[in-house]
Amino acid sequence: DAGPGPVAPSGFAEEARNSRLYPGEGVLPLAELLGLLPADVPVSLEAPNARHAHLPPEARLAAAARVTLPFVRACRTVTGGD
């Protein structure tokens, strides 16, 4: 996901490497986008963020799962997916 407001082209790399948000934490219409996909289409998460850099990989994965799994479940409930 992404924060509010546009990012200047000079800030693209910084945002991509250090400022991405987990699904539902930002302002992108991710629920609507997921609703357009068939339920059996694989999706993946790539959300590097400097606020998690100090955590070991297992803790980063746990944090991503705590936010992402409920978001995806809620999207599928609302859109009628699995």
Side-chain angles (χ1 to χ4, degrees):
D1 216 329
V7 175
S10 62
F12 287 170
E14 175 63 24
E15 181 185 39
R17 293 182 187 129
N18 295 307
S19 301
R20 294 192 204 171
L21 303 173
Y22 294 138
E25 289 185 329
V27 298
L28 297 178
L30 296 180
E32 290 83 358
L33 292 172
L34 281 175
L36 297 172
L37 298 175
D40 62 346
V41 170
V43 296
S44 64
L45 172 66
E46 183 180 312
N49 192 300
R51 68 183 174 175
H52 302 296
H54 69 285
L55 299 173
E58 296 84 4
R60 288 186 224 172
L61 178 60
R66 271 193 306 275
V67 174
T68 303
L69 293 176
F71 176 81
V72 170
R73 286 185 192 113
C75 291
R76 290 199 169 153
T77 300
V78 169
T79 62
D82 292 334

